[in-house]
Amino acid sequence: MSEPVLSVRDLVVEIPTRTGVLKPVDRVSYDITEGEILGVVGESGAGKSMTGNAVIGLLDRPARISGGEILLKGRRIDNLNRDQMRRIRGKEIGMVFQDPLTSLNPLLRIGDQLTETMLAHLDISADEARDRSIAALDEVGIPAAASRIDSYPHEFSGGMRQRVVIALALCAEPALVIADEPTTALDVSVQAQIIALLKRLCRDRGTAVMLVTHDMGVIAEAADRVAVMYAGRLAELGAVREVVQRPRHPYTEGLMGSTPLASRGQRRLRQIPGSMPRLGKLPAGCAFHPRCPKAQEACRVDPGPDLSADQGRAACWFPVEQVEVAE
Amino acid sequence: MLAYIIRRVAQSILVLLVVGLVAFSMFRFVGDPIDNMLGQERTQADIDRLRIELGLDQPFVVQYYKFLSTAVQGNFGVSYRQGRPVSTIIAERAPATLELAAVSGILALTIGIGLGVFTAIRRDGWASNIIMSVSLIGVSLPTFLIGILLIYLFSVELDMLPSFGRGEVVDLGWWTTGFLTESGLKALILPSITLGLYQMTLIMRLVRSEMLEVLRQDYIRFARARGLKERAVNFRHALKNTMVPVITVTGLQLGAIIAFAIITETVFQWPGVGLLFINAIQFVDIPVMAAYLMLISVMFVGINLIVDLLYFWVDPRLRADRAGGH
C-alpha cells in the first residue's frame, strides 16, 4: 500500500471553557489513501466536523489542536503557521460545505470566485484561469458553462450551486477533499447526483475524500471505509461492507439497527436508549457505557482500547461477536 | 430601471410638497416679522400696510401657494432683513457650508469605515478596545460641547487654530473657497472634526458590527477554506457584503451632516447657510427660512434616491428582482 494522503495520529482538539476543558475530538487516528473515500459518521456533536476543521486548519477559536499529528502526504501540517496553512487550503486540501445557498459569496460572479481561487494557488494568467474555470464548471455538469460563468450565485438552483462549490473545492486539484455534510441541505433527488458527481471526480483524479455525514445511506452509497465517531472518540473503523453488515462496536450495531436500509428488508427499527452525553458531562470509562447493553465493570473504568490505523476495528472491550468471514 | 427612477422622483416631489406645507404651517408660531422690520416709531397703519404688502394677512396655504408658484420659476423672494433676493444670499453662503460638509463627510467616511474594518478584524486586540471606548465619546457627547471643548483646547490653550470664521477665502466668481489659503484650511479643521465626529463614530460602529456579522457567514469560511489571502477575504469578500446596510445609514448621515451644520456653524460662527438660517429664525425672515428648508429637503430626498440606486450597483440580487418584477 502506498503512503496515505492523509494520516491523522491521536488527534486531540480542546476547547477551554470556564468550567473545564472540553475535548470534542479525543485521540482520533485514521488514514485516507489516494482515491479512497472515508466516511466519517456520527450524531451531531460527535466530533466529525470538528475533526475535518482541524485537518484543514479552520478551527474556530478557542478550539485548538492540543495533541497528536496530522500528516498530509507524509508532511506534518498541524504545526504550520497561518500563511503556510493558507497555502495548503484550497491547493492541497479542498473543502465542501453543507449549505450551497450560503457557501458562495452573493455579490461576486461565480467565475470571479473560481478564478480568484486558481490565481491564489496556481501560476497561471487570468485568461488561462478563466478558461480553466469554464472547464471546471463543465466538468461538474453545469450546462452551457461558458455563458453561465458570469452569473451570480442567486441565479443557480441549490443543486447547481453545490456543483459550483465542488468545482471551487477541486479547482486547484487538491490531493484531499473534506466534504462536510455535502448533501444534507439538498433535495433527496439531488443528493444522489451530488454524491455520484463527487465520487466520479475524485476517482478520476485519485483525490482522497473525507466524507463527513450523519446519513448512513450516503456512507453506504459512496464510502470505501467508514469511521464511526461517538462523543469525540472513534468507536469503529473499517470497510463499509464490514461495518454495515457486521458491526463490532455495540454503538455501531445500535446505529445500524436504527437505520432503514433497503437491502435488509422491512423490519421494526431498533433504538439506542438515551442520548449522547454532552461533552462537559462525559461519564468515566467508555463514553457509551451508560447506554450500552453489554457494559461491564471494565467499561466504567477504562475508555476501551485505542484504535490505531491498522489494527483493531472497534474501540470496545467486548465487541459484538460476529461470525468471521474471510474478507 | 428608468421607470423606477421616474417613480422615485415623483414620490420625491410629493415629499417635498408636504415638507413645504408643514414648514409654512409652522412659520406663524416663530414670531411676527413685522415687529422686527418696523422701528419704534411705527403706527398701526404702517403695520397693516406692511402685513398686506407681504401677504402675511392671508392663510398659510395661500402664502405657501404663492411661494411655490414663484419658487418654481427660480425666484425665492426677497429677504425681509437684508432686502436682497434670497437666491443670491444662499448662493453666497452655500460654498462655506458645502465645503465644510464635504470635508466632514469625507473624514467621517474614510476614518469611519477604516476604523470599523480594523476593529472588526482585530476584534479582541487592545487597539480595538481603545478605539471602541473612545468612540463612545463621539456618539454620546453633543456636537456643540465637542465644538466648545475643541475651541478651548486648540484655540484658547494651545493657540494653534482659529476659533471662528472661515479664514481668508479665494473668490472664484461663482464660488468662494477656503481650500486655497493656509488660514482657510486651518479654519476648516476644528469645525469639520466637530461636525463629522458623530457620523464618524456612528459609521465606524455600524461597519464593525455589520462586518463581524458578515465574517461569521459560510461564504467567508469557504473563502478561507479555498486558501484565499486574508486581505482578499476581508476586503474583497467581507467588506463588500458589509457595504449594503452601511450605505443606507451612511447616505442619510451625509444628509444629516449638511442639515446639522447649523449647530457647528453657530459654535464656530461659520458663514454658511446654517448660520444664515439661525439668524433668519431670530428675525422671522420667512423667505430665507422657507428657501433653506426646501433646499435641505431636496438634498435629503436626492441622497435617498442615490442610496437606492447604489444598492443596485452593489447587490446583483436586486438587479435581477427588478428586471423580473418591473
Side-chain angles (χ1 to χ4, degrees):
Chain A
M1 203 169 74
S2 63
E3 186 181 43
V5 174
L6 177 73
S7 192
V8 176
R9 290 281 166 270
D10 296 319
L11 179 70
V12 182
V13 175
E14 284 185 353
I15 304 177
T17 67
R18 265 174 299 170
T19 50
V21 176
L22 304 180
K23 286 187 181 171
V25 178
D26 190 7
R27 280 170 293 142
V28 165
S29 302
Y30 58 82
D31 286 345
I32 311 180
T33 54
E34 198 179 305
E36 183 186 42
I37 300 184
L38 175 75
V40 179
V41 73
E43 298 169 47
S44 300
K48 353 181 257 300
S49 295
M50 200 68 92
T51 311
N53 290 340
V55 169
I56 201 170
L58 280 179
L59 286 173
D60 289 317
R61 280 186 301 169
R64 62 188 182 86
I65 297 173
S66 62
E69 294 182 354
I70 300 169
L71 295 109
L72 185 74
K73 294 191 282 192
R75 175 187 174 204
R76 218 176 140 180
I77 60 167
D78 56 295
N79 54 2
L80 296 182
N81 67 31
R82 272 168 52 164
D83 196 55
Q84 289 169 323
M85 200 59 216
R86 177 189 67 73
R87 283 170 210 278
I88 285 180
R89 284 199 290 268
K91 176 86 176 82
E92 308 281 344
I93 308 176
M95 190 153 186
V96 176
F97 286 91
Q98 175 169 347
D99 190 351
L101 300 184
T102 57
S103 299
L104 296 169
N105 189 327
L107 303 187
L108 295 180
R109 298 170 202 274
I110 57 163
D112 293 339
Q113 303 192 39
L114 275 161
T115 48
E116 70 175 351
T117 313
M118 290 187 190
L119 292 175
H121 297 297
L122 308 173
D123 190 18
I124 53 176
S125 70
D127 286 341
E128 204 178 338
R130 192 179 160 86
D131 291 343
R132 285 214 205 174
S133 300
I134 295 172
L137 289 176
D138 196 47
E139 217 179 343
V140 295
I142 302 283
S147 63
R148 297 287 270 162
I149 187 167
D150 288 322
S151 305
Y152 288 97
H154 70 268
E155 295 169 278
F156 289 85
S157 67
M160 283 294 162
R161 279 193 229 185
Q162 195 65 312
R163 287 171 189 268
V164 174
V165 169
I166 290 172
L168 275 164
L170 292 174
C171 70
E173 314 221 317
L176 171 73
V177 170
I178 300 172
D180 191 351
E181 306 267 9
T183 59
T184 308
L186 300 173
D187 286 342
V188 181
S189 55
V190 182
Q191 284 185 3
Q193 294 172 17
I194 294 295
I195 288 296
L197 172 71
L198 201 59
K199 235 173 120 170
R200 175 173 62 79
L201 288 175
C202 294
R203 198 181 47 230
D204 290 354
R205 299 158 182 234
T207 312
V209 180
M210 176 177 166
L211 177 63
V212 176
T213 179
H214 62 262
D215 187 339
M216 276 311 294
V218 168
I219 296 280
E221 171 68 30
D224 301 310
R225 285 193 306 143
V226 59
V228 180
M229 288 191 73
Y230 184 80
R233 295 207 68 198
L234 216 51
E236 184 159 358
L237 181 68
V240 168
R241 256 177 73 90
E242 286 292 311
V243 173
V244 170
Q245 293 179 358
R246 284 183 296 277
R248 298 285 301 274
H249 196 287
Y251 174 66
T252 318
E253 192 187 34
L255 202 62
M256 295 308 153
S258 61
T259 309
L261 286 180
S263 59
R264 271 204 313 241
Q266 287 296 320
R267 63 182 163 93
R268 219 181 145 72
L269 296 176
R270 278 177 289 128
Q271 275 178 260
I272 309 175
S275 57
M276 195 171 73
R278 301 226 323 262
L279 280 177
K281 298 192 169 147
L282 286 186
C286 171
F288 187 61
H289 85 254
R291 303 171 71 189
C292 182
K294 305 177 54 144
Q296 297 183 25
E297 197 49 44
C299 305
R300 287 179 244 282
V301 184
D302 197 304
D306 277 351
L307 277 182
S308 60
D310 45 16
Q311 60 175 20
R313 236 183 67 188
C316 181
W317 295 118
F318 310 103
V320 183
E321 291 302 326
Q322 302 279 0
V323 183
E324 288 298 328
V325 181
E327 290 185 20
Chain B
M1 190 71 173
L2 190 66
Y4 174 74
I5 295 176
I6 291 170
R7 212 179 53 213
R8 280 301 310 265
V9 169
Q11 285 172 355
S12 308
I13 290 172
L14 195 69
V15 169
L16 290 180
L17 290 176
V18 173
V19 167
L21 191 67
V22 172
F24 265 82
S25 72
M26 295 191 353
F27 284 156
R28 62 173 57 196
F29 300 114
V30 177
D32 192 348
I34 307 281
D35 284 348
N36 292 316
M37 293 172 75
L38 295 175
Q40 294 284 324
E41 310 287 306
R42 63 195 167 191
T43 63
Q44 188 59 41
D46 291 337
I47 292 174
D48 291 342
R49 186 178 46 76
L50 190 56
R51 198 181 294 280
I52 291 166
E53 205 172 282
L54 296 175
L56 294 173
D57 55 329
Q58 286 159 326
F60 75 88
V61 182
V62 177
Q63 290 182 39
Y64 180 42
Y65 174 76
K66 280 186 177 164
F67 169 77
L68 274 185
S69 54
T70 52
V72 292
Q73 298 162 22
N75 178 6
F76 290 91
V78 174
S79 162
Y80 294 167
R81 184 172 162 219
Q82 303 190 27
R84 296 194 296 148
V86 174
S87 43
T88 314
I89 298 174
I90 287 186
E92 279 170 14
R93 297 288 201 120
T97 297
L98 290 177
E99 282 187 356
L100 175 62
V103 173
S104 305
I106 291 167
L107 269 182
L109 265 183
T110 50
I111 299 180
I113 292 178
L115 288 182
V117 170
F118 176 82
T119 52
I121 295 173
R122 303 271 164 81
R123 182 159 43 135
D124 301 318
W126 57 269
S128 300
N129 289 332
I130 291 174
I131 292 169
M132 289 304 288
S133 311
V134 172
S135 77
L136 279 176
I137 297 172
V139 284
S140 50
L141 280 190
T143 308
F144 65 88
L145 191 58
I146 291 171
I148 290 167
L149 286 176
L150 288 177
I151 288 175
Y152 175 73
L153 191 63
F154 290 100
S155 303
V156 179
E157 289 296 322
L158 298 176
D159 198 19
M160 289 162 61
L161 298 165
S163 63
F164 72 94
R166 262 187 105 185
E168 284 172 61
V169 293
V170 176
D171 194 345
L172 302 176
W174 52 277
W175 187 273
T176 56
T177 179
F179 289 145
L180 298 177
T181 63
E182 198 193 323
S183 71
L185 287 173
K186 268 183 161 178
L188 260 170
I189 296 174
L190 291 185
S192 57
I193 291 175
T194 308
L195 183 56
L197 193 64
Y198 174 78
Q199 272 72 23
M200 187 180 97
T201 48
L202 193 81
I203 290 171
M204 178 196 123
R205 297 181 80 90
L206 180 76
V207 167
R208 178 187 136 93
S209 66
E210 289 294 337
M211 182 111 173
L212 285 177
E213 183 64 34
V214 169
L215 285 174
R216 275 196 288 272
Q217 299 294 318
D218 280 352
Y219 53 79
I220 296 300
R221 222 180 143 68
F222 190 43
R224 290 225 168 86
R226 284 187 279 137
L228 301 184
K229 291 204 172 75
E230 203 57 21
R231 204 177 55 233
V233 173
N234 286 334
F235 291 96
R236 192 171 147 86
H237 286 262
L239 187 59
K240 203 172 178 196
N241 278 283
T242 307
M243 280 302 117
V244 177
V246 170
I247 285 173
T248 321
V249 176
T250 304
L252 291 179
Q253 289 303 324
L254 291 184
I257 280 183
I258 295 174
F260 294 141
I262 291 176
I263 297 169
T264 306
E265 288 185 9
T266 309
V267 172
F268 288 93
Q269 288 297 301
W270 189 262
V273 285
L275 194 59
L276 175 73
F277 180 65
I278 289 289
N279 293 336
I281 291 176
Q282 283 160 3
F283 198 80
V284 202
D285 197 344
I286 290 177
V288 173
M289 285 153 68
Y292 175 81
L293 285 173
M294 292 313 269
L295 194 71
I296 294 294
S297 328
V298 167
M299 222 153 337
F300 256 94
V301 166
I303 286 172
N304 254 319
L305 184 62
I306 292 170
V307 162
D308 282 358
L309 295 178
L310 273 180
Y311 286 153
F312 290 105
W313 179 62
V314 173
D315 195 337
R317 285 168 292 186
L318 292 173
R319 266 175 260 165
D321 292 351
R322 283 290 163 200
H326 294 269

